[in-house]
Amino acid sequence: MAAANVLTTREAAVKAARAKDEADVAAREAAAVVLRLFDNDADLVADLLGVPAEELEREAKPVTAARAKEVIEALRARAERPPRSRRAPKSRAEASPQPPPAFDAPAPVSAPDDGRADAA
């Protein structure tokens, strides 16, 4: 039981480390992309993002200009595609609420109650 727990914990740690590495790479690429989009004006981008310009430049430095350009092109291509919907669009008839079904039987008529009225 303890060995299984160790293996499960170790697998979770490996997955977490891999996710952290991927997030770090994504953050560095994002910093490089935003700097490239703003003509490498680190002060402007730092003000917009609320981070120190030095930190932003340090994050972006390991990313090559070619990789930043690839990311920008991928973002542009994604922006040009129409958004995918997860559900099939409803037609107007399906989207509008349907009225409750009408019954063909006439409404029941109450019988007189010997002339007594309700007290309510």
Side-chain angles (χ1 to χ4, degrees):
M1 183 80 155
N5 188 24
V6 168
L7 289 175
T8 303
T9 304
R10 188 171 182 176
E11 284 179 20
V14 168
K15 286 181 184 178
R18 191 174 301 130
K20 181 192 178 301
D21 289 343
E22 290 172 4
D24 287 344
V25 168
R28 285 191 300 271
E29 288 177 349
V33 165
V34 75
L35 282 173
R36 187 171 177 91
L37 290 173
F38 284 91
D39 296 324
N40 291 319
D41 189 344
D43 293 325
L44 172 65
V45 174
D47 287 341
L48 291 172
L49 298 177
V51 297
E54 297 80 24
E55 181 181 331
L56 190 63
E57 289 173 332
R58 186 176 57 248
E59 286 288 317
K61 196 171 192 172
V63 179
T64 65
R67 178 60 187 148
K69 188 174 179 181
E70 286 175 11
V71 172
I72 291 170
E73 293 303 319
L75 290 171
R76 285 185 178 145
R78 196 162 117 197
E80 290 173 358
R81 278 189 258 156
R84 294 184 294 189
S85 75
R86 295 180 184 213
R87 299 182 195 166
K90 291 183 176 181
S91 68
R92 268 197 152 161
E94 291 174 340
S96 63
Q98 299 295 324
F103 295 103
D104 292 335
V109 177
S110 61
D113 60 351
D114 298 332
R116 291 180 266 164
D118 285 341

